[in-house]
């Protein structure tokens, strides 16, 4: 693995300065997962570094960048719809640069479609190209030709890319990029490439910076954080639990979350670490995808329902009060009613606090795209409705069971009712309570007094 450092591109900054009479404005919108949102924050950082200002409305922008997600078809359609809606704006403002980056841009057929059918898209670059954006923009301003880069993967990690974070108290911190798992439904390994881990020292330095800047919630990101460490040099080799211990040794008032954990690599050592480290949230997002061994094998997940439940049980023993969340795919090709009953059964047995549910979306180029998929759409949506109903009942009961406790929450924003704040518990639940806005971004102690559906209600406790 090659590690590089970002360098300010003075020539590009100078060119941008010369090209516009007043500093140009950029509108950057990110779709998809937190990894992508964090990439969007770095894209903004790089743009500011070469003289752009940032704006919240596409109409005000000289540069519009969509940082896209490819994980499901629906996400892609939304992007094409939003890009299509910019045609009129470009006609009115010919100097406007419209760009697309992120996961969709790492698919050959998407780049081809943009080339053929969206002539007003000027700039396309993939997930590994954020540090090259200044040079691309400079070329675009000089040559005035479209630059649509073909998907390519770079076995490089670029450190020190400037960043404009969206929050002053919650931060995303990537520890690794890419994925080597090749679950048969998933496009991510094709668009985000092979796993590459950041060096522990680089992660620690960024982490210390965040703590010093007053960040309270730091979420470590990776497609599969449990396989952190692959490819590191021998002298700095460590696994994910070692990394957590390294970070937790940093003094300060903060908590750490992480995602996503793959059940095949989630170790007892990891659970022991969660038990031992007060800075780690007592919550585990452990996507199971489905509750049928037959389908788990077809998904190439490398674990069984029994193995998964063993992990959950071990976590419950070692970490009292731990809660779980998961991702579920409904309607994977060939899913039978019996397979689906297995999923319902597993969901009931675990008792998830939250479930992120998706109807299977066919992704061209993945193995599952060629699997027979005879189940009608109506049947899949019916299964989804039944899953959501089951989960709702479980979540309501779990939420109600919290009432009466006094907990520490991070105050994140305003609540729905006038004069209330909204805070988040370790277990990711939200509580609303009366309080002053000055508490925003701070920890507060809240007594949980009731619940409205799956939102807790509470009052400040002193
Ligand atoms: N169809 C539906 N859901 C998918 N996911 C990933 N690929 C697909 C797909 N092709 C879901 C998985 C994953 C989450 C991020 O997105 O549940 O855990
Ligand atoms: Fe979407 Fe996956 Fe890319 Fe995240 S990594 S933006 S979920 S395709």
């Amino acid at each position: 693995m090659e590690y590089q450092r970002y360098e300010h591109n003075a020539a590009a900054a100078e060119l941008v300065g010369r090209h516009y009479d007043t500093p140009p404005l950029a509108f950057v919108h990110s779709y998809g997962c937190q990894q992508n949102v964090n990439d969007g924050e770095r894209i903004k950082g790089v743009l500011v570094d070469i003289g752009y200002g940032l704006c919240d409305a596409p109409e005000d922008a000289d540069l519009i960048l969509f940082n896209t997600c490819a994980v499901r078809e629906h996400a892609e359609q939304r992007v094409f719809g939003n890009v299509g809606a910019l045609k009129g704006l470009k006609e009115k403002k010919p100097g406007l640069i419209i760009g697309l980056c992120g996961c969709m841009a790492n698919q050959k057929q998407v780049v081809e479609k943009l080339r053929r059918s969206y002539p007003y898209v000027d700039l396309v670059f993939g997930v590994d190209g954020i540090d090259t954006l200044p040079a691309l923009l400079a070329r675009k301003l000089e040559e005035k030709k479209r630059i649509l880069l073909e998907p390519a993967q770079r076995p490089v990690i670029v450190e020190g890319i400037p960043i404009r974070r969206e929050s002053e108290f919650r931060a995303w911190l990537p520890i690794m990029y890419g994925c080597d798992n090749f679950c048969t439904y998933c496009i991510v390994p094709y668009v985000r490439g092979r796993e590459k881990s950041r060096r522990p020292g680089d992660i620690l330095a960024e982490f210390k910076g965040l703590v010093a800047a007053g960040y309270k919630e730091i979420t470590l990101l990776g497609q599969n954080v449990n396989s952190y460490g692959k490819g590191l040099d021998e002298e700095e080799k460590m696994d994910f639990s070692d990394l957590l211990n390294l970070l937790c040794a940093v003094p300060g008032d903060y908590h750490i979350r992480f995602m996503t954990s793959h059940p095949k690599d989630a170790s007892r050592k990891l659970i022991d670490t969660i038990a031992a480290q007060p800075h780690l949230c007592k919550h585990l997002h452990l996507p199971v995808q489905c509750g049928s061994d037959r389908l788990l094998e077809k998904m190439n997940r490398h674990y069984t329902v029994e193995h998964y439940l063993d992990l959950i049980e071990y976590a419950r023993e070692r970490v009292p009060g731990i809660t779980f969340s998961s991702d579920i795919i409904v309607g994977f090709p060939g899913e039978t009613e019996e397979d689906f009953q297995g999923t319902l059964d597993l969901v009931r047995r675990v008792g998830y606090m939250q479930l992120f549910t998706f109807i299977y979306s066919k992704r061209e180029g993945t193995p599952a795209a060629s699997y027979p998929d005879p189940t009608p759409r109506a049947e899949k949506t019916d299964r989804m409705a039944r899953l959501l109903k089951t989960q709702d009942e479980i979540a309501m009961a779990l939420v109600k069971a919290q009432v009466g406790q006094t907990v520490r929450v991070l105050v994140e924003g305003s609540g729905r009712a006038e004069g209330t704040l909204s805070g988040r518990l370790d277990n990711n639940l939200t509580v609303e309570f009366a309080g002053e806005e000055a508490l925003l971004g701070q920890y507060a102690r809240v007594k949980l007094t009731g619940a409205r559906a799956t939102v807790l209600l509470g009052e400040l406790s002193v």
Side-chain angles (χ1 to χ4, degrees):
M1 172 63 51
E2 196 194 322
Y3 296 89
Q4 297 175 355
R5 278 207 81 75
Y6 175 85
E7 276 176 37
H8 172 69
N9 188 330
E14 199 259 328
L15 201 108
V16 168
R18 237 184 317 119
H19 188 86
Y20 296 95
D21 298 332
T22 53
L25 293 177
F27 171 84
V28 181
H29 185 75
S30 295
Y31 301 78
C33 65
Q34 288 83 352
Q35 184 80 60
N36 226 37
V37 171
N38 182 252
D39 283 350
E41 294 178 325
R42 283 178 216 275
I43 289 169
K44 288 181 190 167
V46 164
L47 289 172
V48 170
D49 186 44
I50 54 166
Y52 278 83
L54 301 172
C55 64
D56 295 327
E59 298 75 34
D60 300 333
D62 300 287
L63 166 67
I64 296 177
L65 261 183
F66 288 138
N67 182 30
T68 61
C69 171
V71 79
R72 282 171 291 275
E73 196 185 353
H74 179 70
E76 292 200 351
Q77 282 165 350
R78 259 179 62 209
V79 170
F80 279 121
N82 290 352
V83 172
L86 294 180
K87 193 173 171 203
L89 200 58
K90 178 84 172 191
E91 280 163 4
K92 270 197 268 168
K93 200 172 174 180
L96 170 67
I97 298 175
I98 298 177
L100 191 142
C101 58
C103 291
M104 277 173 74
N106 273 48
Q107 289 177 286
K108 227 176 155 55
Q109 75 276 17
V110 170
V111 181
E112 203 36 53
K113 185 168 169 177
L114 291 167
R115 192 186 306 285
R116 268 187 290 112
S117 311
Y118 295 82
Y120 45 92
V121 171
D122 307 286
L123 190 63
V124 175
F125 63 95
V127 291
D128 291 332
I130 298 175
D131 60 308
T132 65
L133 180 55
L136 287 178
L137 276 172
R139 216 175 103 198
K140 169 71 200 149
L141 291 176
E142 260 182 346
E143 297 175 7
K144 302 195 168 52
K145 281 197 291 229
R146 303 176 81 192
I147 305 176
L148 311 191
L149 299 185
E150 287 303 319
Q153 260 130 37
R154 273 165 86 197
V156 170
I157 288 184
V158 183
E159 293 292 349
I161 297 181
I163 185 159
R164 273 304 183 102
R165 296 189 189 271
E166 282 172 9
S167 162
E168 284 164 13
F169 51 89
R170 302 168 67 196
W172 313 114
L173 175 50
I175 61 166
M176 58 189 298
Y177 306 97
C179 181
D180 287 351
N181 288 325
F182 291 95
C183 303
T184 55
Y185 50 81
C186 188
I187 197 73
V188 170
Y190 305 91
V191 293
R192 288 219 168 235
R194 296 292 59 74
E195 272 177 20
K196 30 185 195 180
S197 293
R198 289 179 74 190
R199 285 183 296 207
D202 291 326
I203 298 171
L204 181 62
E206 188 173 346
F207 186 86
K208 281 181 174 165
L210 290 169
V211 173
Y215 280 88
K216 296 281 186 294
E217 175 172 284
I218 300 171
T219 303
L220 310 180
L221 298 178
Q223 306 304 332
N224 179 14
V225 290
N226 299 117
S227 63
Y228 174 78
K230 264 201 241 167
L232 288 177
D233 284 349
E234 234 11 85
E235 65 272 19
E236 55 187 6
K237 212 143 194 92
M238 61 167 69
D239 66 15
F240 182 52
S241 303
D242 301 332
L243 178 70
L244 287 173
N245 286 325
L246 178 75
L247 300 180
C248 286
V250 174
D253 204 15
Y254 61 83
H255 62 271
I256 298 179
R257 298 184 188 276
F258 53 83
M259 62 193 314
T260 292
S261 291
H262 193 305
K264 86 174 160 60
D265 304 311
S267 60
R268 294 193 165 207
K269 181 177 171 188
L270 170 69
I271 291 165
D272 294 343
T273 308
I274 299 174
Q277 288 290 4
H279 284 301
L280 298 181
C281 280
K282 306 295 176 246
H283 178 81
L284 193 55
H285 180 64
L286 199 59
V288 68
Q289 310 300 353
C290 79
S292 147
D293 285 343
R294 194 183 73 85
L295 280 195
L296 284 172
E297 198 174 330
K298 285 194 160 185
M299 290 178 167
N300 196 31
R301 292 289 288 176
H302 295 281
Y303 56 85
T304 58
V305 170
E306 192 189 338
H307 171 82
Y308 184 88
L309 289 172
D310 277 352
L311 266 176
I312 298 279
E313 200 183 332
Y314 183 72
R316 282 218 161 97
E317 271 167 30
R318 294 285 290 117
V319 192
I322 192 169
T323 55
F324 304 97
S325 56
S326 193
D327 296 347
I328 302 266
I329 297 179
V330 170
F332 182 80
E335 182 189 72
T336 61
E337 178 61 27
E338 195 188 337
D339 293 321
F340 176 67
Q341 288 298 331
T343 299
L344 286 182
D345 187 47
L346 181 133
V347 164
R348 286 193 201 102
R349 282 168 78 178
V350 176
Y352 293 107
M353 198 59 103
Q354 278 141 341
L355 217 48
F356 302 90
T357 52
F358 312 100
I359 290 189
Y360 169 76
S361 171
K362 181 173 170 175
R363 304 284 60 210
E364 278 320 328
T366 61
S370 59
Y371 296 174
D373 190 4
T375 312
R377 182 84 191 172
E379 178 63 35
K380 294 188 181 186
T381 48
D382 179 65
R383 284 179 195 163
M384 178 59 106
R386 284 187 279 153
L387 174 62
L388 292 178
K389 186 164 177 290
T390 303
Q391 173 57 22
D392 260 6
E393 289 164 8
I394 294 169
M396 300 257 234
L398 287 174
V399 171
K400 281 216 181 80
Q402 308 272 313
V403 174
Q405 298 179 49
T406 298
V407 291
R408 184 184 80 157
V409 301
L410 177 62
V411 183
E412 290 185 350
S414 310
R416 268 170 293 182
E418 185 80 21
T420 64
L421 297 171
S422 139
R424 199 170 291 272
L425 283 69
D426 244 34
N427 59 23
N428 246 337
L429 287 178
T430 304
V431 58
E432 295 191 359
F433 55 97
E436 299 290 323
E437 274 201 7
L439 279 175
L440 206 69
Q442 305 295 321
Y443 287 117
R445 286 192 70 72
V446 174
K447 181 165 184 352
L448 306 174
T449 53
R452 193 194 318 116
T454 50
V455 175
L456 285 157
L457 305 173
E459 51 196 41
L460 270 175
S461 146
V462 271

